[in-house]
Amino acid sequence: MDLIFKNELALVPDLRHRLRQLRWFRTTFRNSARAITARYGIRFDIDEKKLTRIFLDWVEIVNAQKSYAQLDRADFIVYAAGLALKELIRQAPVRIDDARPPDASTPAQAIPDIVRFWPEGFVYTNFCVCSIAVLFEQEFGEAPALDACADDLRTWWSYKENTAEMPSYAVAYLDRFLGAEPNWLAPDLPEERSAMQRALQASPRPEAIGRD
């Protein structure tokens, strides 16, 4: 997966706090979609009302689980991005703009199979993965490596099919794309994540989790 928007997103200082602001969230998401349009010529229409609702729902869910960031900050970043991906897929604010044909200057063979197969899903996933990469670079100095399955069309077939039935699977697929061990039984529960369970076992005060 080509992280098309990563370099531009990296110019945003203190991205962790900016993404928790509605204006910045909407702006960075729109700019991410525009970057994909510029690269592949596929034009998108974005429902701003849905995008606002997604942000509000996402922030509410993340705030309810933010104590887990004390256990494993890196894993919580991935988890929070997975929750955003879940809401994007569930509420579907992006559609292909049929009123404007794709840019003919981009040859069809230059568009990756996963983008042709599910362009809206690619917009959602690329935005979240780019955000994770920049947050990791800003906070830890290095972005996580992507697993080969992130470019595997067969994986994207199951990704689209399974998240259509159960949007919370988006959290598990994002983990898989980043080479982590997914939890397919309860993908959106932080306490069931492998990294969080390891941190809980190593923590001298596991009972503190869940308290502000």
Side-chain angles (χ1 to χ4, degrees), residues 18-209:
R18 297 293 179 89
L19 285 176
R20 300 289 294 274
Q21 301 170 22
L22 175 59
R23 180 175 65 88
W24 276 98
F25 180 89
R26 289 171 54 175
T27 298
T28 54
F29 184 84
R30 288 195 304 267
N31 288 343
S32 175
R34 290 191 188 108
I36 293 171
T37 296
R39 175 69 60 87
Y40 299 128
I42 303 172
R43 305 182 191 277
F44 302 101
D45 181 66
I46 298 174
D47 187 321
E48 294 292 342
K49 290 183 178 180
K50 284 186 177 182
L51 195 58
T52 297
R53 173 50 56 190
I54 287 164
F55 172 82
L56 296 174
D57 290 346
W58 172 65
V59 167
E60 181 179 0
I61 297 169
V62 170
N63 282 342
Q65 306 290 359
K66 64 182 180 181
S67 58
Y68 283 90
Q70 302 168 22
L71 279 176
D72 189 321
R73 175 66 191 160
D75 189 64
F76 190 79
I77 289 173
V78 176
Y79 168 69
L83 293 178
L85 181 59
K86 168 190 171 182
E87 292 303 316
L88 287 164
I89 290 174
R90 184 175 71 86
Q91 302 192 44
V94 172
R95 64 176 179 83
I96 295 177
D97 189 348
D98 295 327
R100 295 186 298 167
D103 187 348
S105 65
T106 304
Q109 62 269 25
I111 302 176
D113 290 340
I114 60 174
V115 180
R116 280 202 303 269
F117 166 65
W118 191 19
E120 301 90 346
F122 183 81
V123 171
Y124 306 145
T125 308
N126 200 263
F127 170 71
C128 292
V129 173
C130 286
S131 297
I132 290 170
V134 174
L135 286 168
F136 267 63
E137 288 182 349
Q138 290 185 353
E139 298 199 27
F140 311 117
E142 185 178 7
L146 286 177
D147 190 88
C149 71
D151 290 312
D152 183 3
L153 183 59
R154 293 169 300 179
T155 301
W156 278 73
W157 272 98
S158 63
Y159 175 29
K160 182 179 182 181
E161 180 178 337
N162 287 322
T163 54
E165 296 180 2
M166 185 174 171
S168 61
Y169 275 136
V171 181
Y173 277 97
L174 185 61
D175 284 331
R176 189 178 180 193
F177 291 156
L178 293 169
E181 181 182 350
N183 178 354
W184 299 108
L185 296 179
D188 55 351
L189 295 182
E191 65 270 24
E192 297 298 327
R193 296 177 63 81
S194 296
M196 293 299 180
Q197 290 184 348
R198 289 193 295 269
L200 278 169
Q201 292 170 5
S203 173
R205 297 182 59 201
E207 69 279 6
I209 299 305

